[in-house]
Amino acid sequence: MNQLTTFEQSLTLFRDRFTDLVKGYDGTTHNSSELERVIDDYSAFILDEGNKASWETMEQQAANELPQLLADLRKMSSLCVAIMEKYRALKLLAGETDKTDYFKNIESCIEQEFGSFQVTADSTVLLIGSGSFPMTPLFIAKRTGAQVVGIDIDEEAIELGRRVVHRLGSGLNIRLEKAFVEQLDVTKDVTHIIFSSTVSNKYELLEQLHALTNEQVVVAMRYGNQLKSLFNYPMQAVKEGKWSLVDTILRPDHVFDIALYKKA
């Protein structure tokens, strides 16, 4: 059995485990320990330098079925991250405060999200894909005093997220809404936008936001290329004349990287 075959088999196994765990979510923390273990294993797999050569070989020799496997992996791992945030929220609300390696990895990345485009108390930050455990809004609001608005299309995630904010950040200027970007009343005032790396249509939304936002807005697009694209939606080219890529923040020890955009 060669290295490539072993690598592909690992990806297939992760996909199947993620699929089973998505099916097993029942609104309780019944399967939380297993899901946390699989996500931590997957994070370690993606950050393992030893897997880079296998990924490059797979790209060069990709079989017809591989694009579908990779698409399935992104989709199912994203769903599992969303469910793990629900588990974490439910545990917090029940008095537990355990933290997985995945969450430690994400939180250690938030500090330098915007590079030199710093968030201040006068900023208004929009997070697209806020999830059930809104780490980024809590971190930004606590650290800077900025207004933070988080949106998500998952009603359960918004409800849990509001309860988490009430528990951990009561009094902070954080608002979570089940809404689309065109429905918000603050979009023209937003100074900074963050896209979750697991938002599949983030570049379509970026295109839409060009007409809805002011000229000074800065966008932090979380993404993953190469091996990290197994866990994140990758970077895409933007239309010339609308957005310009002004910086990339590459973080070898983190599960996603960051692309910074400003209006052209």
Side-chain angles (χ1 to χ4, degrees):
M1 185 180 296
N2 61 40
Q3 187 180 26
L4 177 59
T5 302
T6 303
F7 185 75
E8 289 181 45
Q9 286 190 338
S10 295
L11 297 183
T12 302
L13 179 59
F14 274 120
R15 190 233 6 231
D16 294 345
R17 293 169 78 188
F18 286 141
T19 301
D20 290 341
L21 286 163
V22 168
K23 292 177 181 177
Y25 177 64
D26 60 2
T28 73
T29 60
H30 179 68
N31 294 316
S32 62
S33 295
E34 182 182 359
L35 177 56
E36 289 166 3
R37 185 164 54 250
V38 175
I39 290 287
D40 285 345
D41 288 347
Y42 195 53
S43 299
F45 180 86
I46 286 169
L47 294 174
D48 185 348
E49 289 286 327
N51 288 324
K52 284 188 174 181
S54 297
W55 167 262
E56 291 169 0
T57 303
M58 188 184 71
E59 279 194 309
Q60 293 168 4
Q61 302 178 2
N64 291 334
E65 65 273 11
L66 280 178
Q68 187 59 53
L69 171 61
L70 300 184
D72 290 345
L73 264 171
R74 286 190 199 112
K75 178 181 178 181
M76 301 314 294
S77 62
S78 296
L79 288 172
C80 280
V81 167
I83 292 170
M84 189 166 66
E85 289 194 8
K86 292 178 181 180
Y87 287 146
R88 189 183 184 192
L90 290 167
K91 286 183 175 182
L92 173 78
L93 297 170
E96 301 178 45
T97 57
D98 289 342
K99 187 184 295 184
T100 70
D101 291 341
Y102 170 82
F103 283 123
K104 292 175 185 176
N105 187 285
I106 294 295
E107 288 168 358
S108 66
C109 184
I110 292 172
E111 181 103 37
Q112 298 174 335
E113 188 96 47
F114 286 100
S116 61
F117 300 99
Q118 294 184 352
V119 177
T120 71
D122 296 324
S123 303
T124 298
V125 182
L126 171 63
L127 173 62
I128 299 175
S130 53
S132 303
F133 203 102
M135 298 175 286
T136 300
L138 285 164
F139 182 93
I140 291 174
K142 281 183 177 180
R143 183 63 62 92
T144 68
Q147 176 186 10
V148 187
V149 178
I151 61 173
D152 205 293
I153 59 173
D154 184 338
E155 190 166 351
E156 182 185 16
I158 291 295
E159 192 272 332
L160 285 171
R162 287 171 176 167
R163 293 172 65 190
V164 169
V165 168
H166 180 73
R167 176 70 64 90
L168 298 179
S170 181
L172 295 176
N173 195 356
I174 299 173
R175 176 159 59 102
L176 303 179
E177 300 287 344
K178 182 179 183 294
F180 297 102
V181 292
E182 67 271 18
Q183 298 171 323
L184 295 174
D185 57 2
V186 297
T187 311
K188 274 292 183 186
D189 300 320
V190 166
T191 57
H192 299 73
I193 299 173
I194 301 172
F195 279 92
S196 168
S197 67
T198 55
V199 174
S200 61
N201 64 334
K202 55 193 174 187
Y203 277 92
E204 289 85 349
L205 292 173
L206 180 65
E207 175 79 8
Q208 183 182 0
L209 280 163
H210 187 272
L212 299 174
T213 50
N214 63 67
E215 294 304 309
Q216 287 73 46
V217 67
V218 181
V219 178
M221 182 78 76
R222 297 173 177 176
Y223 75 96
N225 285 348
Q226 289 84 47
L227 194 57
K228 292 184 183 182
S229 70
L230 293 171
F231 208 175
N232 309 275
Y233 288 89
M235 184 189 294
Q236 297 179 21
V238 292
K239 287 187 178 179
E240 188 175 347
K242 287 195 172 182
W243 296 99
S244 295
L245 178 66
V246 295
D247 198 6
T248 53
I249 303 173
L250 301 178
R251 305 179 66 83
D253 298 326
H254 294 78
V255 291
F256 61 75
D257 298 314
I258 300 163
L260 293 178
Y261 296 94
K262 293 203 74 176
K263 289 190 176 180

